[in-house]
Amino acid sequence: MDVRSQDIPTNIRELRRAMEQDEFRLYYQPKVNLTSGSITGVDALIRWKHPAKGLFYPNEFIPAAETSEFIVELGDWILRMACTQNRAWQDEGRSPFIVAVNVSGRQLHQPHFAERVERIVHETGLDPRYLELKIRENTVMDPRRVLPVLRDLKKTGVRLGLDAFGVGYSCLFWLKEYPIDVVKIDRSFVKQCTVHQKDATIVKAIIAMAHELSVQVVAEGIESKEQLIFLQQNLCDGGQGYLFSPPLPAKTIVRRFEVVERVVSTYGIPEVLDQQIWLNEAIEKVRQESTEILRYQQGMTFKFIRQDGQFIHTFCAGELLYRLGLSPELVLGKSPHDVLPHDDAERKLQYYRRAWEGEENVSYEMTLNDLWYLASLRPIRRGGEIVEVIGSCVDITDRKEAERKLRESEEKYRLIAENMQDLIGILDTTGIVKYASPSLETVLGFKPTEFEGNSVFNWVHPDELPYVQQRFAQIIATKQPCRVELRYRHVHGHWVDVEAYGSPVLDDTGEINHAIVVARDITKRKESEELVRRTEKLSIAGQLAAGVAHEIRNPLTALKGFTQLLKTQSDPPTYVDTMLSEIQALESIIEEFLALAKPQSPKMKETDMVRLVRQMVLLFRTQGNLRNVEIVERYAIELPRVYCNENQIKQVVVNVLQNAVEAMPNGGTLSVELLQTDAHSIKIRVMDQGHGMSEKRLKHLGEPFYSSKEKGTGLGLTVSYKIIQQHGGAIHIQSVVNQGTTVEITLPISKA
């Protein structure tokens, strides 16, 4: 057993005593650039100067410290002292360099560790760029736990180094995933790199991999000029070891700086030759990349980095490069302003910034020397940090020309589509609207954007939806056009009759690309057809009514006469009054027949409609009370007079009121309103809360011999339609089953 190891105090109490007695010291070992020989930084290494037992090295007491939270306290002390010393060197006028400090696993896993580091750096006044935290591989085995900490540390501005690389766990994974700035090759590999081929191979591989990942490499434990030359030949960035200097106290090490910086020039490859090695390596790398890209790329590929606030192109190759009138010599090492006109360069820089800030798949189109090209940018990350951006370009000149021609054609067709009343829609094979013409807003009240992106079936009347869907599926299946009539919903809720003609559009393979539907509003045409149909029915009904009325009037007169004669007898039968009542009812029906059959020239005069309607309502109040019907009247003030046949209008109002009262056998509210709708007409509105009617029954109202009553003839409403039509007005009926019916009678206002 080592006698000295028995004397090392390893308990935490003793270590805390050493901290209180200020027995810990920091020694510094320089790191040099293996090309220039200049000092790039120092490693801060702790020593314990025991008053009785001498100087202890870290491996003799740090393992004991790491068994408790004391290592955190000790780590903060080392960090603060190293930052303070580095700042003091800068204040003395020395060129700034990096001080590297070891970080233990316990420190790294402390809550808010990055904030602790940031606070210490701020308190000591050191720029975080000049602090490097060295982490051993065995402390970063859990990526989910460690990676967020490392990213937080990077945000503070400090550098991160992976210490003793190659002897830990899954080291390749750390290189790929972690935001590492520098890798230190463990001294165990450097020691034998000039003796054993395997160690040499490992060192070369580490250097090559690190450079591919844009990570610097520093070799530890350089003790001979042969090791120095080997590392220079294989492009190692930096090194440290006893060949340059052992770890020394701060005051001592600064006196050796000049000696340290002469080591490379004294024992190593001359700087000019070393630079040539680096240049040859860079040229070879560019050549290989260019050859590989050009082998598969007919467009153009380029890379750029951000350097001193500017975006500098580091690679550019491809056939398109030359077609644009450029060459690698004109682009490499240059910014966009060095290559392009000012306005083009400023526009391109907008996209460069977006990609450098982390936006994925930035793309843009630009033109140069009459060639259009499409560029796509993608940031390249290493260790979570963006190190460069790669871009690829393809020639789209032919596409832009085709787009121009297509745009001109589309403008012509759009001009036609936007100025016609027919509805035009482009649908995909599932019925989704891809384009809707502006005429939709004129006809249906909806903006075209409300249709686009939605199913065309959303606005079809529910009764016709299955049929319309079946017809559309037929177009897709047969690839043949199809015509259909349907009702489409208006923005105000009513339905509009349209006639639609759908045609499939096929692509070059004969498959359906989309369908074009052209439709037009046929509401007025349907109304005209309905009017003709009703007129024909009225004509037929009139002819029939005239014949029937004349045929039955004569025998009815005889029956009435003999019945009245029976009533004059001294003791007439009790049923005589009943017979006379029924005969009068028959005469009333005959009068309706004759009114329907003969065109009349009514006696017209200006009439106060408020007075007329009030008189008719008064007649029905008693009947309404008997049926538990409350009649509510609302009349507009100062309504103009209507030029009409007063008796005929009374007949219409009575017919409507009678139907409304009879529709509410269980009582309810009957509303009667009189209002002026516009400058040319007034409206009588009667609303009941009765049993209502279905849409199917509504279609047939006003037709002769069609009635919603069990014993009705339907002639009363038919005659009412005819009367209002002769007055130049209209009757409109709306009804909902079990909710009620609204009848609106519109009459023209008298002209002054």
Side-chain angles (χ1 to χ4, degrees):
M1 181 180 294
D2 185 357
V3 175
R4 176 178 169 82
S5 65
Q6 295 177 334
D7 297 332
I8 300 173
T10 57
N11 61 75
I12 302 302
R13 181 181 302 173
E14 183 68 16
L15 291 174
R16 289 191 181 280
R17 185 202 61 76
M19 175 76 75
E20 294 169 359
Q21 297 298 321
D22 195 24
E23 296 176 4
F24 292 116
R25 301 285 185 270
L26 286 188
Y27 279 42
Y28 298 90
Q29 186 175 31
K31 290 184 292 189
V32 301
N33 183 302
L34 296 188
T35 298
S36 65
S38 61
I39 295 175
T40 59
V42 294
D43 279 8
L45 306 170
I46 191 168
R47 301 288 187 266
W48 180 5
K49 189 175 183 180
H50 195 279
K53 300 179 181 180
L55 195 67
F56 293 119
Y57 291 91
N59 62 323
E60 296 177 301
F61 62 89
I62 289 297
E66 288 181 333
T67 62
S68 74
E69 292 300 315
F70 176 72
I71 190 65
V72 177
E73 182 180 350
L74 182 60
D76 286 353
W77 180 86
I78 296 171
L79 181 61
R80 186 178 297 276
M81 293 300 294
C83 292
T84 301
Q85 181 61 65
N86 198 8
R87 177 59 197 231
W89 281 330
Q90 293 181 17
D91 291 343
E92 292 173 2
R94 299 186 182 278
S95 298
F97 52 71
I98 297 167
V99 60
V101 177
N102 289 308
V103 175
S104 71
R106 278 186 179 268
Q107 283 181 276
L108 195 65
H109 297 145
Q110 282 289 310
H112 311 296
F113 177 61
E115 296 176 10
R116 294 161 66 98
V117 171
E118 188 173 29
R119 183 175 65 254
I120 291 174
V121 170
H122 176 73
E123 290 173 356
T124 58
L126 182 67
D127 189 320
R129 292 180 298 170
Y130 301 119
L131 173 63
E132 178 184 308
L133 301 180
K134 297 191 299 178
I135 304 165
R136 294 183 68 88
E137 289 178 306
N138 58 1
T139 65
V140 291
M141 290 181 59
D142 185 356
R144 290 176 299 178
R145 186 177 179 187
V146 173
L147 188 55
V149 179
L150 297 184
R151 287 175 176 169
D152 288 341
L153 287 170
K154 284 297 293 182
K155 292 177 183 178
T156 67
V158 304
R159 291 165 55 87
L160 297 179
L162 197 57
D163 201 18
F165 185 79
V167 296
Y169 307 88
S170 305
C171 48
L172 297 182
F173 178 81
W174 313 140
L175 270 183
K176 179 174 72 75
E177 293 295 329
Y178 286 177
I180 300 298
D181 298 293
V182 60
V183 165
K184 297 189 74 173
I185 303 176
D186 189 72
R187 65 182 69 251
S188 62
F189 299 117
V190 175
K191 183 177 181 180
Q192 302 293 330
C193 68
T194 59
V195 179
H196 298 299
Q197 182 61 37
K198 290 183 179 180
D199 290 307
T201 301
I202 292 174
V203 171
K204 292 178 183 178
I206 293 174
I207 295 172
M209 285 189 299
H211 285 170
E212 285 295 325
L213 297 172
S214 298
V215 176
Q216 290 187 339
V217 187
V218 174
E220 297 178 321
I222 303 175
E223 298 179 355
S224 68
K225 66 177 183 180
E226 290 79 12
Q227 294 168 348
L228 170 62
I229 293 172
F230 172 83
L231 292 167
Q232 287 181 302
Q233 290 174 333
N234 288 282
L235 307 179
C236 186
D237 299 290
Q240 64 183 152
Y242 277 62
L243 180 64
F244 302 100
S245 172
L248 296 171
K251 292 182 179 180
T252 306
I253 193 64
V254 295
R255 294 197 292 266
R256 289 183 54 85
F257 277 179
E258 292 184 6
V259 175
V260 171
E261 292 187 329
R262 291 198 296 269
V263 171
V264 170
S265 60
T266 302
Y267 300 109
I269 299 173
E271 182 176 356
V272 174
L273 181 58
D274 189 52
Q275 289 179 345
Q276 185 62 45
I277 294 174
W278 278 92
L279 180 60
N280 291 341
E281 175 67 16
I283 293 174
E284 177 61 20
K285 185 176 180 180
V286 171
R287 188 191 67 79
Q288 291 176 356
E289 288 182 347
S290 300
T291 302
E292 188 71 16
I293 292 171
L294 289 177
R295 185 180 303 169
Y296 301 104
Q297 177 92 6
Q298 294 183 354
M300 179 176 67
T301 299
F302 62 95
K303 295 181 182 180
F304 64 83
I305 61 173
R306 190 167 189 170
Q307 181 177 305
D308 298 329
Q310 287 189 314
F311 293 113
I312 304 298
H313 297 107
T314 58
F315 177 80
C316 191
E319 179 185 341
L320 182 58
L321 175 68
Y322 299 95
R323 293 177 57 202
L324 290 171
L326 302 173
S327 67
E329 292 75 18
L330 294 174
V331 176
L332 292 179
K334 307 292 180 60
S335 72
H337 276 294
D338 297 326
V339 180
L340 301 172
H342 177 79
D343 291 344
D344 289 348
E346 285 295 315
R347 180 165 173 255
K348 184 182 285 284
L349 284 173
Q350 296 177 10
Y351 302 107
Y352 278 26
R353 293 189 190 99
R354 286 167 52 187
W356 191 262
E357 291 170 0
E359 183 176 342
E360 298 286 345
N361 300 321
V362 177
S363 62
Y364 58 91
E365 295 179 1
M366 292 193 72
T367 181
L368 182 65
N369 295 331
D370 298 326
L371 281 179
W372 278 95
Y373 63 91
L374 170 66
S376 177
L377 306 179
R378 184 177 181 182
I380 304 301
R381 292 177 172 84
R382 293 192 179 97
E385 295 291 321
I386 296 175
V387 297
E388 63 182 347
V389 173
I390 186 170
S392 60
C393 302
V394 293
D395 183 358
I396 58 169
T397 306
D398 292 341
R399 194 198 78 186
K400 296 295 287 188
E401 179 63 20
E403 287 178 353
R404 183 189 65 78
K405 294 180 179 179
L406 179 61
R407 189 164 50 250
E408 292 177 354
S409 177
E410 286 179 344
E411 287 297 327
K412 294 177 182 178
Y413 287 112
R414 187 177 294 277
L415 185 63
I416 296 172
E418 292 179 353
N419 289 276
M420 64 187 304
Q421 292 300 310
D422 285 353
L423 311 177
I424 300 176
I426 299 177
L427 317 179
D428 69 10
T429 55
T430 65
I432 299 299
V433 180
K434 297 301 183 184
Y435 168 79
S437 63
S439 53
L440 275 164
E441 187 167 5
T442 304
V443 177
L444 299 176
F446 293 100
K447 294 185 181 297
T449 53
E450 296 181 66
F451 275 76
E452 293 171 352
N454 295 303
S455 173
V456 72
F457 305 116
N458 290 349
W459 291 266
V460 177
H461 194 285
D463 293 346
E464 294 155 4
L465 181 58
Y467 172 69
V468 174
Q469 289 176 324
Q470 183 269 329
R471 297 290 277 171
F472 183 78
Q474 180 180 333
I475 295 176
I476 303 302
T478 64
K479 303 178 183 178
Q480 296 296 320
C482 178
R483 175 190 169 280
V484 64
E485 289 187 9
L486 66 152
R487 284 172 291 174
Y488 232 62
R489 179 161 55 87
H490 193 275
V491 71
H492 296 310
H494 63 273
W495 298 98
V496 178
D497 290 294
V498 298
E499 179 183 60
Y501 189 84
S503 300
V505 178
L506 308 183
D507 59 20
D508 295 337
T509 65
E511 296 299 321
I512 293 182
N513 194 322
H514 53 265
I516 295 180
V517 176
V518 179
R520 63 179 51 186
D521 182 0
I522 59 171
T523 302
K524 293 188 180 299
R525 191 186 82 186
K526 298 282 283 189
E527 290 175 351
S528 299
E529 291 175 353
E530 180 65 16
L531 179 61
V532 170
R533 186 176 66 84
R534 288 194 175 190
T535 302
E536 290 177 350
K537 285 188 176 183
L538 283 173
S539 176
I540 295 172
Q543 296 174 22
L544 177 62
V548 171
H550 286 295
E551 289 296 329
I552 66 174
R553 172 174 278 185
N554 291 334
L556 187 63
T557 301
L559 288 173
K560 183 177 181 181
F562 283 116
T563 304
Q564 289 174 338
L565 183 60
L566 284 174
K567 188 175 182 181
T568 60
Q569 294 180 2
S570 58
D571 189 17
T574 57
Y575 53 79
V576 170
D577 288 338
T578 302
M579 292 175 61
L580 285 173
S581 175
E582 294 298 325
I583 290 172
Q584 288 174 355
L586 287 173
E587 286 181 331
S588 176
I589 293 174
I590 290 172
E591 289 300 323
E592 289 184 348
F593 271 130
L594 292 175
L596 184 65
K598 296 180 181 179
Q600 301 177 9
S601 299
K603 296 180 180 179
M604 311 286 280
K605 65 176 182 179
E606 288 190 347
T607 302
D608 181 354
M609 294 305 299
V610 174
R611 176 186 59 79
L612 184 150
V613 174
R614 279 178 171 167
Q615 288 177 353
M616 298 302 100
V617 171
L618 184 61
L619 293 176
F620 277 88
R621 283 202 177 276
T622 301
Q623 185 177 350
N625 292 335
L626 293 175
R627 293 175 177 263
N628 197 28
V629 174
E630 179 187 3
I631 302 179
V632 178
E633 300 174 74
R634 298 185 184 90
Y635 303 105
I637 301 174
E638 297 182 356
L639 281 175
R641 293 175 174 268
V642 173
Y643 192 69
C644 67
N645 182 293
E646 186 172 333
N647 289 332
Q648 288 185 345
I649 299 301
K650 285 181 178 180
Q651 180 182 350
V652 173
V653 174
V654 167
N655 187 282
V656 173
L657 291 174
Q658 181 69 35
N659 289 340
V661 171
E662 292 178 354
M664 295 186 289
N666 299 320
T669 300
L670 174 61
S671 297
V672 179
E673 298 179 357
L674 190 59
L675 62 154
Q676 184 172 353
T677 55
D678 53 40
H680 307 288
S681 61
I682 67 167
K683 182 176 291 184
I684 304 169
R685 181 182 292 143
V686 179
M687 297 176 288
D688 66 57
Q689 295 178 336
H691 44 65
M693 292 173 283
S694 66
E695 189 172 340
K696 181 178 180 181
R697 296 182 68 181
L698 277 174
K699 291 182 179 180
H700 298 286
L701 285 181
E703 296 181 1
F705 311 115
Y706 182 85
S707 174
S708 60
K709 305 175 187 177
E710 183 178 348
K711 297 182 179 180
T713 63
L715 294 174
L717 193 54
T718 303
V719 171
S720 297
Y721 268 103
K722 185 173 182 180
I723 290 173
I724 298 301
Q725 183 181 356
Q726 289 174 343
H727 279 76
I731 297 178
H732 181 66
I733 301 176
Q734 290 181 313
S735 187
V736 179
V737 175
N738 297 324
Q739 293 187 22
T741 302
T742 299
V743 179
E744 293 182 341
I745 303 169
T746 304
L747 291 169
I749 296 173
S750 302
K751 295 182 180 179

